[in-house]
Amino acid sequence: MEIDKPSSEPSAGRVTGSAIEFRLDPSSGVPTYLQLVQQVEHALRLGYLKPGDQLPKVRDAVASLVINPNTVLKAYRNLEAKGLAAGRPGQGTFITATLSQAGLPELTGLRRALSGWVVSADAAGLDDSAIVALFSSVLRDFRERHDGSAGRPDAADGGEAERVA
């Protein structure tokens, strides 16, 4: 899934003129409304969207993405139900909460480091699916170690002493 900040050049399949540009991937198997919800959530986590930002107007999303208005409305209702957005009659839908867990400087450094890792993975011959699979596997292993180490005496060092010894 791709999240874009707005640009001055309109292109097919994108909604412009808002703090976020939606893109659809018809081959993803993810329902269209859910793709919109996930893009907003990702943009919130990455700090691209913040409270007060306006989401694309329904008519603009419908025209640009060539989808049914009910699909956009369903996505926005889902975001409202999660407490992330609120509609203002005659004005549009606006972000009301954030999911960002880190500040922009931290995200910038992490993005730079991750970009370097992706370049290395690409140079090693991994395609996009293999990169995602490897990253997901490492993240899952990290979470299992992190969640499984709570309460153990060696939890502070993440179990490194146990693995090194």
Side-chain angles (χ1 to χ4, degrees):
M1 173 184 325
E2 193 168 324
I3 301 171
D4 288 324
K5 290 185 178 179
S7 70
S8 58
E9 298 179 24
S11 72
R14 286 197 323 197
V15 174
T16 61
S18 174
I20 186 174
E21 296 177 359
F22 291 131
R23 290 181 183 239
L24 297 178
D25 181 1
S27 65
S28 73
V30 176
T32 302
Y33 87 93
L34 199 50
Q35 288 186 48
L36 301 180
V37 169
Q38 289 173 346
Q39 288 177 47
V40 170
E41 289 174 339
H42 287 141
L44 286 167
R45 281 187 183 90
L46 295 173
Y48 294 152
L49 286 174
K50 60 188 180 313
D53 286 342
Q54 184 174 9
L55 294 175
K57 293 188 180 209
V58 172
R59 71 174 177 269
D60 294 338
V62 167
S64 180
L65 299 172
V66 192
I67 58 176
N68 188 306
N70 290 328
T71 302
V72 180
L73 289 169
K74 184 175 183 178
Y76 287 3
R77 280 192 307 268
N78 188 293
L79 291 165
E80 288 177 10
K82 292 180 176 192
L84 299 175
R88 296 182 195 159
Q91 295 180 2
T93 303
F94 294 82
I95 297 297
T96 58
T98 185
L99 296 172
S100 184
Q101 298 173 344
L104 195 54
E106 293 86 359
L107 289 175
T108 301
L110 291 169
R111 183 179 179 90
R112 189 174 300 120
L114 187 55
S115 293
W117 180 84
V118 170
V119 167
S120 297
D122 181 65
L126 277 66
D127 64 8
D128 289 358
S129 296
I131 290 172
V132 169
L134 179 58
F135 180 85
S136 296
S137 173
V138 169
L139 180 60
R140 184 179 52 252
D141 291 348
F142 170 79
R143 288 290 171 220
E144 287 174 0
R145 278 193 318 272
H146 183 266
D147 296 343
S149 66
R152 289 199 340 235
D154 62 343
D157 69 5
E160 286 296 315
E162 183 177 294
R163 286 190 298 277
V164 173

